């Protein structure tokens, strides 16, 4: 039996001042707890899904990002980082790369029987305009999915599922900032996969599992978010175990567990109906009934 791949994951650290429900002042102590978890769990790799800081200005953000980088530095396992929108408000990708000491563009890494896909799509919130899903980012994802010869664990800061934000403190009334405009095109790319696929993101500050076309889309709660755990921060991090089974366990004050068969992620669903009023068969039936 193949060895299980084990990935420790943290998201939305938001080191900085307390802001709304984010307990940014507790980020570094919580990072110390995460380091202890990693040392005990001994995962094959550690993934940071982005939003390491709560942005303020260029000079402050450089300092905050360096402090988070220092918090990661003691981790012996291989580490992979993505940029979130708050990492990009006042800093460039190049500045983040210099602080973290690694490239932050699109990357794939083969780990055992799985391929880790770090999809570094543009995570900057443009003002005005919001997120922009660039054609280059989409084409890279399409090429990676089409070339896959082993299961894919796709990591991104921004979710692609387009799932409802009902009850979300930040996004229920701001759903346009919870995913990319045009995310349905990325989901169409994933639909072409001929290997098992799982997607994992941060950004939305809660634990969710949404299945689209048979593909599970997970989101991880923020390390310092408190809207689901008030008055305490969630203190959340996850362990993703990948083999013939997918096991996702979130620890902390907002625990969550999901268990799936990897083979089931190959199932594709029937294309959804068009609006009933436009469906020729239903329209014909309604006209026939009306004529009787």
């Amino acid at each position: 039996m193949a060895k299980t791949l084990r990935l420790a994951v943290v998201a939305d650290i938001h080191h900085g001042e307390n802001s709304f429900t984010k307990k940014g002042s507790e980020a570094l102590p919580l990072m110390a707890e995460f380091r202890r978890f990693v040392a005990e769990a001994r995962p094959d790799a550690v993934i940071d899904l982005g939003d390491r800081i709560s942005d303020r200005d260029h000079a402050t953000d450089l300092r905050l990002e360096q402090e988070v980088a220092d918090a990661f530095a003691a981790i012996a396992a291989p580490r992979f980082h993505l940029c979130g929108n708050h990492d990009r408000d006042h800093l460039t990708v190049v500045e983040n790369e210099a602080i973290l000491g690694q490239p932050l563009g699109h990357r794939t890494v083969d780990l055992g029987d799985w391929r880790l896909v770090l999809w570094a799509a543009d995570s900057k919130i443009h003002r005005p305009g919001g997120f922009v899903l660039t054609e280059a980012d989409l084409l890279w994802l399409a090429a990676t999915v089409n070339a896959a010869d082993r299961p894919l664990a796709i990591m991104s800061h921004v979710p692609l599922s387009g799932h409802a934000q009902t009850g979300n403190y930040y996004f229920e009334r701001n759903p346009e900032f919870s995913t990319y405009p045009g995310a349905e095109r990325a989901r169409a790319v994933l639909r072409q996969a001929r290997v098992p696929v799982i997607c994992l993101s941060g950004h939305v500050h809660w634990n969710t599992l949404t299945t689209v076309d048979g593909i599970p889309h997970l989101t991880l709660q923020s390390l310092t978010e408190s809207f689901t755990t008030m008055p305490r921060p969630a203190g959340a991090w996850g362990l993703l175990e990948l083999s013939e089974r997918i096991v996702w366990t979130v620890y902390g004050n907002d625990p969550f567990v999901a268990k799936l068969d990897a083979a089931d992620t190959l199932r594709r669903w029937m294309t959804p109906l068009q609006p009933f009023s436009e469906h020729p068969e239903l329209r014909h039936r309604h006209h026939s009934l009306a004529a009787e």
Side-chain angles (χ1 to χ4, degrees), residues 48-50 52 81-84 87 107 118-120 155-157:
D48 155 36
L49 295 174
R52 289 171 287 278
H81 300 270
L82 292 165
C83 282
D87 307 313
R107 290 149 287 163
L118 296 149
W119 189 50
M155 308 285 168
S156 63
H157 178 67

Side-chain angles (χ1 to χ4, degrees), residues 36-116:
R36 284 192 288 272
F37 170 80
V38 170
E40 293 173 2
R42 300 177 66 183
D44 297 292
V46 171
I47 313 297
D48 155 36
L49 295 174
D51 271 3
R52 289 171 287 278
I53 66 169
S54 289
D55 65 278
R56 183 172 178 180
D57 56 56
H58 185 261
T60 303
D61 291 3
L62 284 172
R63 174 179 59 81
L64 294 173
E65 289 276 2
Q66 186 61 59
E67 289 170 353
V68 177
D70 292 343
F72 274 110
I75 292 175
R79 288 183 286 111
F80 302 97
H81 300 270
L82 292 165
C83 282
N85 49 289
H86 287 273
D87 307 313
R88 293 282 288 108
D89 269 319
H90 303 293
L91 302 178
T92 65
V93 173
V94 171
E95 287 172 318
N96 277 274
E97 289 176 331
I99 292 167
L100 293 165
Q102 65 177 249
L104 296 176
H106 301 308
R107 290 149 287 163
T108 63
V109 182
D110 289 347
L111 297 172
D113 292 332
W114 284 72
R115 177 164 295 155
L116 176 63

